[in-house]
Amino acid sequence: MKNVLIPVDFSDNSWNAVQYAKELFQRTPCVFYLFHINAIAPYSGAETSIVGSSKVLEEAVLQESQERLDEVLKRIEQLTVNTEHRFETLTVYDFFVDAIRKQIADKKIDLIVMGTKGASGLKKVTMGSNTADVITKVKCPVLAVPENAEYKKPKEIGFPTDFNLSYDIKVLDTLIEIVQMHHAALRVLYISGKGEELDSEQHKNKAFLHDYFKDLEHSFHRVTSKKLETAVQCFVESRDLDMISMVAKNVNFLQRVLLRPAVQEISYHTDVPFLVLHE
């Protein structure tokens, strides 16, 4: 039984994440935890937060959240029923990241699925702060589902890497599971500057991946570009990728591709789900 945590803020994009998760694991027994966090701002002091006010007010906030979660359950019941899926609701008043960490430990969560929403203009390419915080601060695989992503069975999954990291096998478990579950193909992308060649360590890490993926349909691709973000964009479009996956341990690479791309034309943030893997 897979345990999936879905933070819900009652927006359209969080509902999209619920539907995507349900479809992605349509053939897998799952418990989906719909989790609403009445978040305490990081700068809040006890005297300015609900925690420091009356217990009655806190209970009223949680009751309202629970009622709204019950409405989400009713919407789910209108979708195709899967007898191997169970949905449970949770609501708390807590710091956002702390609340996520507690549920991962308490419920033995295997994967977090979060909806993300872009803004207008240049900010369109910047991932929401809550999602970014979870990706960088919580040791659990995260599937970020953009607001415009429509579920389709993953056929090709991109895996950008600079081959500078040695991989712990367990880090890749969630990716392998999704690839096998949907009989998908894995496309490993290396982006290099003009004239750059792999060094001995990079060759070693590439060989490891090739061996580890030997039972999966996979291929290695190389794109020469000065701009990492646009290279990923071109690869996503040329392969019509259904999902992208990266390892959180490679912080610089992750920041440039996912969290703070500097190029306005990036659209994979609003269209393609992004799976971030943790040790």
Side-chain angles (χ1 to χ4, degrees):
M1 183 72 73
K2 179 170 287 293
N3 296 318
V4 180
L5 186 71
I6 309 178
V8 174
D9 63 4
F10 310 115
S11 64
D12 289 342
N13 50 302
S14 72
W15 171 246
N16 191 41
V18 171
Q19 295 183 92
Y20 192 96
K22 185 177 182 298
E23 291 297 320
L24 184 67
F25 295 107
Q26 58 185 294
R27 299 184 185 279
T28 304
C30 290
V31 179
F32 296 100
Y33 293 95
L34 307 180
F35 188 30
H36 179 69
I37 304 164
N38 298 284
I40 304 172
Y43 50 80
S44 293
E47 71 280 4
T48 60
S49 71
I50 274 186
V51 172
S53 63
S54 74
K55 192 70 175 176
V56 173
L57 181 56
E58 181 178 341
E59 289 176 354
V61 169
L62 293 176
Q63 182 177 342
E64 180 184 357
S65 299
Q66 185 58 57
E67 289 171 355
R68 298 187 72 183
L69 284 171
D70 290 342
E71 290 298 319
V72 176
L73 284 179
K74 290 178 182 178
R75 291 184 71 182
I76 292 171
E77 290 171 1
Q78 303 303 313
L79 305 175
T80 305
V81 175
N82 185 329
T83 56
E84 293 190 305
H85 286 173
R86 189 170 86 245
F87 289 85
E88 297 189 9
T89 60
L90 307 162
T91 182
V92 299
Y93 196 91
D94 201 350
F95 294 105
F96 194 89
V97 170
D98 288 348
I100 295 285
R101 286 178 177 147
K102 289 173 186 174
Q103 293 304 324
I104 288 171
D106 291 347
K107 302 295 189 297
K108 295 181 171 54
I109 298 299
D110 300 299
L111 175 69
I112 303 167
V113 180
M114 295 187 71
T116 65
K117 184 175 177 61
S120 59
L122 185 60
K123 290 184 179 179
K124 172 184 175 183
V125 301
T126 304
M127 182 162 287
S129 59
N130 281 341
T131 308
D133 281 345
V134 171
I135 285 172
T136 55
K137 299 175 182 178
V138 177
K139 300 289 187 182
C140 182
V142 179
L143 179 62
V145 181
E147 57 184 326
N148 296 336
E150 294 184 7
Y151 178 79
K152 54 181 178 177
K153 180 180 177 180
K155 294 180 180 177
E156 292 205 1
I157 299 175
F159 187 72
T161 178
D162 56 11
F163 296 124
N164 282 322
L165 289 180
S166 55
Y167 294 99
D168 183 322
I169 290 178
K170 292 188 70 65
V171 174
L172 302 171
D173 282 353
T174 304
L175 173 61
I176 299 301
E177 180 184 8
I178 291 175
V179 169
Q180 292 177 330
M181 186 189 309
H182 296 283
H183 306 289
L186 195 57
R187 307 306 180 193
V188 182
L189 172 64
Y190 170 65
I191 301 160
S192 68
K194 189 174 182 180
E196 289 182 359
E197 297 297 333
L198 298 180
D199 60 27
S200 58
E201 188 65 22
Q202 288 174 305
H203 275 295
K204 177 182 175 182
N205 293 329
K206 180 180 179 181
F208 168 83
L209 289 177
H210 181 58
D211 182 64
Y212 190 63
F213 296 149
K214 64 183 179 182
D215 295 326
L216 308 173
E217 181 183 346
H218 71 280
S219 55
F220 289 85
H221 304 263
R222 179 170 180 161
V223 173
T224 301
S225 175
K226 292 182 180 179
K227 294 182 178 179
L228 185 65
E229 307 93 328
T230 51
V232 173
Q233 176 71 25
C234 289
F235 192 68
V236 169
E237 292 177 349
S238 64
R239 302 291 316 191
D240 192 22
L241 297 180
D242 304 302
M243 187 180 292
I244 306 171
S245 182
M246 291 182 66
V247 176
K249 184 178 177 182
N250 197 338
V251 178
N252 180 58
F253 207 64
L254 182 72
Q255 293 275 8
R256 289 181 62 192
V257 174
L258 180 59
L259 300 180
R260 289 199 295 269
V263 184
Q264 188 165 0
E265 291 77 18
I266 300 303
S267 67
Y268 55 77
H269 276 259
T270 57
D271 299 323
V272 182
F274 216 111
L275 176 65
V276 181
L277 307 169
H278 282 269
E279 294 180 334

